[in-house]
């Protein structure tokens, strides 16, 4: 898979998981890894960038005597997910066209 496409899809995967509830880095990696290969060195810069874009916020909470950083989606992040839905629908139409299933030219 093209690295830029993968990066964009990872953004959406992170936001989609955070819609379901706040989470921390290792948990996000564990869940995303079930569908696409991702490492800590890939995910943490994505989380930092999404935070910089205002699509998520962070907060710390103590867990077993240590602080754990949690991530929460913002309204801007929810907006990005809606935009992705529209982009995905367009990609599905293109895919159908490429495979001869779409509208005829």
């Amino acid at each position: 898979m093209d690295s830029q496409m993968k990066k964009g899809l990872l953004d959406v995967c992170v936001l989609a998981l955070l819609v379901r509830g706040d989470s921390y880095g290792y948990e996000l990696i564990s869940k995303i890894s079930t569908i696409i290969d991702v490492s800590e060195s890939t995910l943490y810069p994505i989380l930092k960038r999404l935070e910089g874009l205002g699509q998520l916020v962070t907060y710390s909470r103590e867990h077993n005597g240590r602080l754990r950083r949690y991530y929460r989606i913002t309204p801007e992040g929810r907006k990005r997910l809606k935009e992705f839905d529209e982009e995905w629908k367009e990609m599905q139409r293109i895919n159908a066209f490429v495979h001869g299933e779409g509208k005829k030219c």
Side-chain angles (χ1 to χ4, degrees), residues 41-76:
S41 62
T42 300
L43 183 68
Y44 285 105
I46 288 171
L47 291 168
K48 189 72 172 166
R49 187 171 42 74
L50 292 174
E51 183 179 16
L53 293 170
Q55 295 177 3
L56 60 83
V57 294
T58 63
Y59 62 94
S60 296
R61 181 182 295 161
E62 189 173 328
H63 178 76
N64 291 336
R66 296 180 61 192
L67 284 180
R68 181 182 277 173
R69 180 175 290 218
Y70 283 83
Y71 301 88
R72 175 180 294 144
I73 194 167
T74 65
E76 189 65 29

Side-chain angles (χ1 to χ4, degrees), residues 13-28:
C13 288
V14 167
L15 295 172
L17 283 173
L18 294 177
V19 162
R20 300 173 192 163
D22 298 359
S23 189
Y24 55 95
Y26 182 78
E27 184 177 52
L28 290 168

Side-chain angles (χ1 to χ4, degrees), residues 75-91:
E76 189 65 29
R78 291 176 189 276
K79 178 182 170 190
R80 174 63 192 116
L81 277 178
K82 287 181 183 181
E83 290 168 353
F84 175 78
D85 284 341
E86 293 305 313
E87 293 166 2
W88 187 252
K89 288 174 188 172
E90 183 177 0
M91 289 297 295

